[in-house]
Amino acid sequence: MAETPQDLLYTEEHEYLKRTDEQNVFQVGITDYAQGELGDIVYVELPAVGASFSRMDVFGTVEAVKAVSDLYCPIAGEIVAINEALADNPALINTDPYGDGWMVRIRIRDESDLDGLLGADEYAGHTG
Amino acid sequence: MAVDQALLENAARLGPTLRLYRWRPACLSFGRNQQTLGRYDPARLRARGLDVVRRPTGGLAVLHDAELTYAVAAPVADIGRPRAAYAAISAALVEGLRRLGVGARVVAAADGRAPAPDAAYPCFGEAAPGEIAAGAGKLVGSAQRAEHGCLLQHGSILLDGDQAAVAALGTGPAPVAGSGRNATIAGLLGALPPVEAVGAAVIAGFEARIGILLAPRPLDSAERERARTLETHFASDAWTWRR
């Protein structure tokens, strides 16, 4: 059974947002369900720090078992950090999607954009 | 590549499509994320008379010469999520090959992880779990892309020839890992059947195993238009030699 932590926000495209200690900065990755569906992740391509995205823009790709999937930005904002460890060890996304397998940190533009995201129970309804 | 991507982008509207095609001239295709800079030399490939293209899907280098390429574009709702679709398409291909008299099998998942796109060896150097082998080698190499609730999976069904030639097209020493040999339909049957017979068998396999009845159709105007636009992208050096 895939883990879906209650304190995170989710998208139907299987990304999550996790609040950080810094105001308006969220950690973004793919959900435990998504990594399980993809299988062993062998490559991840992430944007440059400083890049800006609108909601649903493609901000990167992951490759697993020769299957390439785009990553969709869950919310409008600017990338303030990327997880450099994934370049050498993309399997972190499989082993710890909500922790060491995070992908980017994004500074959101508008707090009210968070209203469009899913809660854990709502997201779990999409994966059932 | 432009047509395959256009099929993917229109799959939500048009439903599942199976496309079969061949390449003229022969072409070396790279995976979406494959490391090619410093590994392949464009001038050397041109001198061999080869086209070069980078696929929108994953995986490693394939030489499209004595082979038949299949492409399936379908909504996830019709064909299943990526791994289920991969298994369903493999089963359809094995069924099609069986009808041709080729005893092929799906490679077991016990062999560990799929090769990373930084691997130096070609696609047919190693069979990843879920791919199709026959005799002592890999017979079909496939790769996928997921986009907005739809999937594209395409792959190369080897009719004849030796994909070890791909390693020789690189600029570095031949890789030690992934030096397995490929199987071919001609090798397995002792003679090459007409490519039309291979195509008909593949179609029959898809109809039997996936339950989708396939009727020949031309690209519709939106697909044609999109493919024309995408041609510029797939023909550009910025895309082909992106990493």
Side-chain angles (χ1 to χ4, degrees), chain A residues 37-88:
Chain A
E37 282 291 311
L38 286 166
D40 291 342
I41 293 171
V42 294
Y43 179 80
V44 59
E45 190 169 81
L46 298 175
V49 171
S52 286
F53 295 94
S54 299
R55 179 172 143 68
M56 292 307 287
D57 279 354
V58 173
F59 75 90
T61 67
V62 288
E63 181 167 340
V65 203
K66 300 197 288 180
V68 169
S69 300
D70 286 336
L71 299 166
Y72 300 101
C73 199
I75 198 161
E78 180 192 346
I79 305 297
V80 294
I82 64 167
N83 186 355
E84 307 274 1
L86 297 181
D88 289 332

Side-chain angles (χ1 to χ4, degrees), chain A residues 13-14 33 35-43 45 56 58 60-70 72 87 90-91 94 126-128, chain B residues 32-33 56-60 81-83 86 112-118 123 128-129 131 138 141-149 242-243:
Chain A
E13 302 281 348
H14 309 293
Y33 172 82
Q35 69 77 21
E37 282 291 311
L38 286 166
D40 291 342
I41 293 171
V42 294
Y43 179 80
E45 190 169 81
M56 292 307 287
V58 173
T61 67
V62 288
E63 181 167 340
V65 203
K66 300 197 288 180
V68 169
S69 300
D70 286 336
Y72 300 101
N94 293 117
H126 281 276
T127 61
Chain B
R32 160 78 171 71
N33 299 315
T57 52
L60 300 170
R81 293 186 170 121
R83 285 201 292 174
Y86 204 89
R113 297 176 73 86
D118 288 338
C123 173
E131 288 195 306
K138 179 168 159 181
S142 299
Q144 251 186 13
R145 174 176 182 78
E147 198 176 288
H148 296 298
R242 62 187 285 270
R243 72 183 297 264

Side-chain angles (χ1 to χ4, degrees), chain B residues 12-24:
Chain B
R13 181 172 59 87
L14 294 172
T17 300
L18 169 67
R19 176 185 181 220
L20 299 174
Y21 59 101
R22 303 192 70 191
W23 304 63
R24 289 288 177 274

Side-chain angles (χ1 to χ4, degrees), chain B residues 57-108:
Chain B
T57 52
L60 300 170
V62 175
L63 179 60
H64 302 274
D65 190 2
E67 57 95 78
L68 178 66
T69 301
Y70 78 90
V72 177
V76 167
D78 289 321
I79 199 144
R81 293 186 170 121
R83 285 201 292 174
Y86 204 89
I89 291 171
S90 286
L93 290 166
V94 166
E95 172 63 22
L97 290 163
R98 189 189 65 77
R99 289 168 184 233
L100 205 60
V102 173
R105 65 186 184 278
V106 176
V107 174

